[in-house]
Amino acid sequence: MKKRVILGMSGGVDSSVSALLLKKAGYDVIALFMKNWSEIDEFGVCTATQDAEDARRVAEQLDIPFYTINFEKEYWDRVFTYFLNEYKKGRTPNPDVMCNQEIKFNAFLNYALKLDGDYIAMGHYAQVEERNGKYYLLRGRDKNKDQSYFLSRIGQRALSKTLFPVGHLEKKEVRAIAEKYNLYTAKKKDSTGICFIGERDFDEFLDRYLLTKEGDIISVDGQSLGRHKGLIHYTLGQRRGIGIGGIGTGEPWFVAGKDLKKNILYVAQGEDHPALYSISLISEEPAWTLGSPPKMPLECTAKFRYRQKDIPVIVNILDNGDLHIQYKEPVKAVTPGQVAVLYKDEICLGGSVIKSTEPLDKKYQFLHNN
């Protein structure tokens, strides 16, 4: 009897080729399009209608059943509310990581199991490997497209039930397969940005949901430089859009910190300014892909944002369960709210949310006290 796979079909080329490969491998494939955000709100359109239609056309081409499932309430409660709350705290969240943890590999998985699915499948560039009864999350073969960072908070239950049909392929190979079989999405460009914002103006979107207040821009050395348009519109290490060019040495200015109580945006001039660097961080709510933490202290590598090069670190667990992650070399613009993802070679060990950082230069401790 054929194994049944419930495929999360997004309307993009990766999930389209995943559907093709699963069918060719002999699985009983059912395609499900997840509707996570309402198109009714003119400020929240994320091309869901067009994407669903593209997914349906590919399913029709491949002669597999296609359905749409609505997870808008779950997405609002578990992902979007979290997204807004993090911004209120002055942090910069990663909703894609939370969407995978709460929606794709939780709500979607539960729904798939009710449909008697043996597995779920997604078009992510990542791999799962079973070793002695444990399921390891591995980086995708295409290092430029590897999405293990975004999957770092899913555990054994989900990994044991998940297939990543394109994880062993390069993106150009996926495109070639789509074109060879004349799939409807073969030439469709990759989506960018956060789903519920899409290509829209990010600042405008945030203003629709969060109250913002102008405040002072002050250099890390105490010089008043101008006014900011609301702290939620800035993230650590940001260069563009601060609006204070031409002051001082002429070098670019970078966001170095925020004081929520005083509504101050702190900036530093020069991309190698010591105020922009930290030497360690504290992160909270660690989630381990193997279900339990590795032996500590742990020497491994980490990424503090997607596409960042691996950084050698030493990790310890604190008494309260938080992680202390010390870097071998100072790192620029490590940002609270983002996810610290740990790797041992090709294995993704897990991820935790960055809570605070330790400055390279102690005189800039005030930037790290929020």
Side-chain angles (χ1 to χ4, degrees):
M1 189 172 170
K2 286 184 176 182
K3 294 279 189 183
R4 174 171 288 180
V5 179
I6 314 299
L7 169 69
M9 206 157 178
S10 66
V13 68
D14 300 324
S15 60
S16 299
V17 171
S18 295
L20 170 71
L21 295 177
L22 289 168
K23 183 166 182 185
K24 287 175 75 66
Y27 289 105
D28 172 22
V29 184
I30 296 174
L32 273 188
F33 179 85
M34 283 174 270
K35 185 166 179 263
N36 296 333
W37 190 259
S38 176
E39 311 95 320
I40 297 168
D41 179 356
E42 65 176 302
F43 299 104
V45 174
C46 77
T47 68
T49 306
Q50 185 59 54
D51 289 340
E53 178 60 19
D54 292 345
R56 184 193 64 75
R57 287 188 182 223
V58 173
E60 205 171 69
Q61 278 185 294
L62 298 175
D63 193 27
I64 59 175
F66 174 80
Y67 305 96
T68 297
I69 177 73
N70 191 310
F71 286 131
E72 286 179 49
K73 185 181 187 306
E74 290 87 345
Y75 194 90
W76 183 279
D77 292 345
R78 302 185 204 174
V79 181
F80 190 62
T81 300
Y82 158 82
F83 171 85
L84 294 181
N85 287 338
E86 286 289 285
Y87 269 103
K88 287 176 189 173
K89 294 177 191 173
R91 310 206 305 192
T92 304
N94 194 313
D96 293 329
V97 173
M98 213 50 63
C99 178
N100 282 325
Q101 179 183 335
E102 297 293 339
I103 307 300
K104 293 179 181 176
F105 296 90
N106 187 349
F108 182 91
L109 174 61
N110 292 338
Y111 188 82
L113 295 176
K114 288 178 186 174
L115 296 177
D116 296 324
D118 296 291
Y119 300 101
I120 63 170
M122 300 286 173
H124 289 81
Y125 287 85
Q127 303 176 82
V128 177
E129 190 176 291
E130 190 261 332
R131 302 176 189 172
N132 300 317
K134 284 283 191 181
Y135 293 84
Y136 289 77
L137 175 64
L138 307 181
R139 304 180 203 247
R141 200 185 108 207
D142 188 331
K143 299 308 177 213
N144 290 319
K145 287 291 181 179
D146 168 44
Q147 291 173 296
S148 59
Y149 179 93
F150 299 111
L151 301 167
S152 58
R153 294 184 61 81
I154 68 175
Q156 287 291 287
R157 176 176 177 260
L159 290 173
S160 70
K161 294 284 185 183
T162 298
L163 304 175
F164 294 119
V166 300
H168 65 292
L169 298 172
E170 302 272 340
K171 180 75 180 200
K172 62 185 178 185
E173 294 176 286
V174 172
R175 287 275 182 203
I177 291 169
E179 289 179 17
K180 177 182 175 183
Y181 288 89
N182 200 30
L183 295 183
Y184 184 76
T185 53
K187 290 185 166 54
K188 184 175 180 180
K189 72 170 186 172
D190 291 346
S191 59
T192 59
I194 298 163
C195 169
F196 50 80
I197 300 170
E199 308 287 344
R200 292 177 176 276
D201 184 300
F202 190 74
D203 286 346
E204 180 190 346
F205 181 87
L206 285 179
D207 283 334
R208 297 285 163 184
Y209 288 94
L210 296 171
L211 290 172
T212 57
K213 191 168 66 170
E214 286 189 1
D216 291 324
I217 300 175
I218 297 178
S219 78
V220 293
D221 303 314
Q223 181 185 0
S224 182
L225 298 171
R227 301 281 286 172
H228 66 74
K229 57 190 175 184
L231 292 179
I232 62 170
H233 297 302
Y234 305 87
T235 189
L236 295 192
Q238 178 179 328
R239 172 181 172 176
R240 298 183 187 284
I242 304 173
I244 51 169
I247 298 174
T249 64
E251 292 179 278
W253 290 88
F254 295 84
V255 173
K258 304 176 186 181
D259 185 324
L260 294 185
K261 289 177 183 170
K262 296 179 181 175
N263 195 27
I264 294 171
L265 183 73
Y266 287 106
V267 294
Q269 191 162 34
E271 55 184 299
D272 290 322
H273 196 292
L276 301 172
Y277 287 83
S278 60
I279 55 174
S280 75
L281 65 83
I282 304 293
S283 60
E284 59 190 355
E285 300 172 19
W288 303 102
T289 57
L290 288 169
S292 56
K295 187 178 177 185
M296 300 288 169
L298 172 68
E299 284 204 46
C300 62
T301 61
K303 289 179 187 287
F304 305 136
R305 58 181 178 271
Y306 183 50
R307 295 196 184 284
Q308 186 177 41
K309 286 184 178 177
D310 280 44
I311 295 160
V313 297
I314 298 173
V315 184
N316 280 287
I317 298 180
L318 303 178
D319 289 342
N320 65 356
D322 288 351
L323 301 185
H324 178 250
I325 302 177
Q326 189 169 10
Y327 340 135
K328 297 282 182 76
E329 299 284 342
V331 180
K332 184 179 175 182
V334 176
T335 306
Q338 289 290 293
V339 180
V341 178
L342 303 177
Y343 292 88
K344 196 73 174 175
D345 300 319
E346 291 303 295
I347 300 167
C348 179
L349 299 172
S352 56
V353 180
I354 298 169
K355 188 174 173 182
S356 62
T357 55
E358 179 188 358
L360 169 64
D361 187 329
K362 298 297 182 199
K363 78 176 179 182
Y364 298 116
Q365 181 61 52
F366 69 94
L367 298 171
H368 301 252
N369 290 337
N370 260 324

